[in-house]
Amino acid sequence: MHPSVRFFLYLLVCLMLAALLTPALMATGWMTIEPHRVMGRLAQSLILLGFWPFLRWQGLTRRSALGYGASWPVLRRAILGGWVLGVLILVALVMALLELEIRLPDSSPAPWSQTALRIVQALIGGVLIGVLEETFFRGALYAALREHGGARAAMIWSAALYAVLHFMKPGALPDSAALDALGALRMFVHVFIDLFQWQHLDSLVALFMAGLLLALVRERAGHIGWCIGLHAGWVLVIQASRRLTDVNDDSPLSFLVGDYDGIIGWLAALWIGLLMALYWPGLALWRSQSRTALR
């Protein structure tokens, strides 16, 4: 079985278990948020709880397979450098969106104390997301794919799965629907519906390009330190920008951002594609020099 299928099935099983457990969990009265959010968070918890046993089953518990083969000082410098670079990359994109008036400064901003708190939360959340997602996608998944089919296949498949899974989320349950087994199934089926919505194509392409760039960095560095930093920096800027600016729906260029978060879209895909076009020759040269040195 192809490694990407195994990883996908693991995530799918966790989502199915979350769908089965959500009605019972909601019946306890402990949760006050919407059922589809409970299902989503429950699925995330199950993914985290089962991740290490799944990796042991796949034989991917080595530090090198998880992307942590470098020493801690090397990883630490890479994470910090990647974070700075990630912030700069996304700040450039957001500045372009503001210059084109695709996004506008928030007309009624929250108090600075509240905004600062949310930015700190975004900073911490970005680091956590960077560590967890990069360990999964550019760590274990990438290592399994590379061993199975080589670097090119690993880059493409890891980026594709990374993009697709961003849209696999339970759907909201209508007010008229009961939260029973049928209602849970309804929320679960919605996991696949967003994948086939035309309006998500731009964000899907942008996320695929982001995953491809991260895979290129992973291949070049030999570890995921830079990937963690880049990812964390991107999350910080996206979250901060959503707090401080709004999408200008009246702009004739609003089609350049998707409805996923109002920032990534066709313009982001083009920007990341340009960065990859600049980075790819350096990767090719490095690989050529590496092969020459081994002869």
Side-chain angles (χ1 to χ4, degrees):
M1 185 183 294
H2 196 276
S4 61
V5 176
R6 295 199 300 268
F7 275 76
F8 180 81
L9 288 176
Y10 167 69
L11 297 173
L12 188 61
V13 167
C14 291
L15 279 167
M16 293 173 64
L17 288 175
L20 291 172
L21 295 172
T22 295
L25 184 59
M26 292 296 295
T28 63
W30 298 341
M31 312 297 292
T32 57
I33 59 176
E34 299 92 332
H36 69 283
R37 297 188 184 277
V38 172
M39 185 183 293
R41 293 180 183 179
L42 185 56
Q44 292 171 350
S45 299
L46 291 171
I47 290 170
L48 288 175
L49 288 173
F51 188 43
W52 190 254
F54 174 74
L55 292 180
R56 287 181 64 87
W57 177 43
Q58 298 297 310
L60 295 170
T61 55
R62 306 180 311 276
R63 282 189 59 188
S64 57
L66 295 175
Y68 295 95
S71 64
W72 170 239
V74 171
L75 287 171
R76 184 177 55 200
R77 288 193 297 269
I79 291 171
L80 180 59
W83 184 85
V84 173
L85 189 58
V87 168
L88 292 176
I89 289 172
L90 257 293
V91 164
L93 175 64
V94 172
M95 292 298 292
L97 296 177
L98 289 170
E99 183 66 24
L100 295 171
E101 297 186 346
I102 298 172
R103 294 190 71 90
L104 299 173
D106 191 350
S107 57
S108 55
W112 274 107
S113 58
Q114 184 177 351
T115 300
L117 176 61
R118 290 177 175 175
I119 290 177
V120 171
Q121 292 173 339
L123 174 62
I124 297 172
V127 173
L128 291 175
I129 291 172
V131 170
L132 294 174
E133 292 195 5
E134 292 310 308
T135 301
F136 186 92
F137 289 104
R138 259 64 61 177
L141 175 61
Y142 187 87
L145 289 168
R146 200 182 192 289
E147 183 177 350
H148 181 269
R152 189 182 301 272
M155 292 177 193
I156 294 173
W157 280 106
S158 63
L161 192 58
Y162 171 74
V164 165
L165 290 177
H166 276 78
F167 294 92
M168 293 183 62
K169 298 178 180 179
L173 192 66
D175 294 335
S176 59
L179 182 57
D180 51 15
L182 185 60
L185 177 62
R186 189 171 183 173
M187 290 189 293
F188 174 75
V189 169
H190 196 276
V191 166
F192 304 96
I193 293 177
D194 276 353
L195 293 178
F196 303 99
Q197 298 297 315
W198 178 258
Q199 66 267 26
H200 295 322
L201 179 62
D202 50 358
S203 298
L204 190 66
V205 172
L207 286 166
F208 174 78
M209 298 295 281
L212 201 55
L213 176 59
L214 290 169
L216 284 170
V217 173
R218 164 71 166 94
E219 179 67 20
R220 172 64 178 84
H223 57 77
I224 63 171
W226 286 95
C227 301
I228 292 173
L230 283 166
H231 203 147
W234 291 349
V235 171
L236 171 63
V237 176
I238 289 174
Q239 293 297 326
S241 299
R242 293 179 65 185
R243 303 291 185 187
L244 300 174
T245 66
D246 296 314
V247 176
N248 179 16
D249 294 324
D250 296 327
S251 171
L253 299 175
S254 61
F255 69 91
L256 291 175
V257 295
D259 58 2
Y260 180 76
D261 59 11
I263 294 176
I264 63 170
W266 293 123
L267 185 61
L270 181 63
W271 173 225
I272 296 174
L274 176 61
L275 293 174
M276 281 195 295
L278 297 173
Y279 187 74
W280 185 275
L283 175 62
L285 178 61
W286 171 78
R287 295 180 67 180
S288 175
Q289 291 175 343
S290 299
R291 286 194 296 266
T292 302
L294 292 173
R295 291 176 182 173

